Amino acid sequence: MSLHLLAGKPAPFETLVNVPRLISAYYTGEPDPANPAQRVAFGTSGHRGSSLKGSFNESHILAISQAICEYRRAQGITGPLFIGMDSHALSEPALMSAIEVFAANEQEIMIDADRGYTPTPVISHAILTHNRGRTSGLADGVVITPSHNPPDDGGFKYNPPSGGPADTTVTKAIQTRANEILQNGILQDTARTVKRMPLARALKAGTTHLYDFITPYVADLRHVINFPAIVASGLRIGADPMGGASVAYWEPIAETYGLNLTVVNPRIDPTFSFMTVDKDGKIRMDCSSPYAMASLIGLKDRFDIAFGNDTDADRHGIVTPSVGLMNPNHYLAVAIWYLFQNRPGWRADAAVGKTLVSSSMIDRVAASLGRRLCEVPVGFKWFVDGLVDGSFGFGGEESAGASFLRQDGAVWTTDKDGIILDLLAAEITAVTGRDPGEHYRNLTAQFGSPVYERADVVATPAQKAALERLSPDMVAAQDLAGERIVARLTRAPFNQAPIGGLKVVTENGWFAARPSGTEDIYKIYAESFRGAQHLQLIFSEAQEIVAAAFNKAGTTSST
């Protein structure tokens, strides 16, 4: 994808979202259930959309909330439902709509005591803390966030009692029921499909509880991070919430543990006007993008370690004096290298979990540590079970999302936690005397220096469907970019779950092709340990291999 002219530059005023219009459309817009783009659709991170496009309106939230109530009853989930929201403009209206439905359905709900913002990992932590040692009265949760998506988007996701993202069986059940409600009409049938009460009554209902999310999460961090080492080092730390849900957490963390930490931007603005725009010209709070993070990269000259988080704080962006903003894959490799040598309380057989589009540097680091590598499809839900039972010490994905165990080997969160990944960067620097960027340089000296990129290729809906249905025997090629192909994968090596696409591997490179769930494109992820020219050759031949597979599947390539 070519760079937009505004990439990395401050967002012009005319590009900012009209917040009053956005919220008005949330309440007044009615989705068309016959239009697939306006139906409830749970992807890897819940339902997302925009009120301006008819894909995230009040009807969607009412229907999803009612479907969750019915799912909870069917599953016998009777404990509290922890609810959090981020700072996107549509999040608070969606929270209010959800409260009206949950209260009318007599669901015990826990909302922030100050009606503030709650990071995704904090909801996961609250669920797991409540459920520890219980076999009944289990809690679950809802996080209202579209993650790092542009300011006009909204998102709504459900976390079951495992604390992590719901699996496909759960999301399909909720999605199907929500769409039935939309199809029938929110309040049109005689049974009143959606139970709902006025907000003022819902907030005063005996089942609606105000809850302090900050204190227990912050107090418990001592069991995950080596704070004494950070304090003893005197590190100067910079934290940028990037206008997101972590904004109220960094000062309590600094005060509780005595950190020399500065919150560099405490500003909340639903237009996110303080951002520099991403590579495609859109405002996107992506803490792994050098374009979205352009204004933060200068922090490397002010602090010994600095970091940012996306809007719901489930992703991390690490800024070091040595290299500036770290590539997410690079930091994941360093985090794994460090953790498995500095967590003696973890199981000796605790494995390294990674998504199949993450860097093969992780494979080489895991092998050097003598740790089993578990490669799963895209989506953090695949790490949940391993984190719960301690068989995964770490689970991470290339898009700067990861979590890891407590120091004693017990589960911390089963959703991505950008806050602990940030603090880990400070711990690594304090304990070793070198920042994570320096450590990555050492890893490349030992294992080679990979080059990694992602590209988008135009594809028809038929081609996207064909890509999801590919089998390894449909790939006739024997070589890729001058190397023998050693694996053709349509299922993940660890659990044999379908990857929804294709991965082709050689000794020093690989590519993976996956269809987009929202656009008429497929995504190619590729990596080479032989340099940029070899990577471009992989990209070129990858499109040829995919095109040939399309032909076998009876479709025609768009490339």
Side-chain angles (χ1 to χ4, degrees), residues 367-388:
S368 75
L369 295 168
R371 295 286 179 160
R372 184 167 65 116
L373 180 78
C374 298
E375 193 170 6
V376 302
V378 172
F380 207 79
K381 63 186 177 183
W382 301 106
F383 300 125
V384 171
D385 291 344
L387 290 169
V388 166

Side-chain angles (χ1 to χ4, degrees), residues 410-425:
V411 63
W412 168 249
T413 60
T414 47
D415 216 327
K416 302 184 288 287
D417 191 337
I419 294 173
I420 64 167
L421 268 295
D422 290 344
L423 292 168
L424 180 66

Side-chain angles (χ1 to χ4, degrees), residues 122-140:
V122 175
I123 295 294
S124 180
H125 177 269
I127 294 169
L128 293 171
T129 300
H130 176 88
N131 291 344
R132 189 177 300 132
R134 294 176 182 266
T135 57
S136 61
L138 298 180
D140 51 2

Side-chain angles (χ1 to χ4, degrees), residues 3 257 265 322 338 346 380 399 409 417-418 432 530-531 546-547 555:
L3 282 182
Y257 298 105
N265 176 21
S322 62
Y338 174 84
W346 290 7
F380 207 79
S399 56
D417 191 337
T432 68
R530 293 176 55 186
V546 172
T555 64

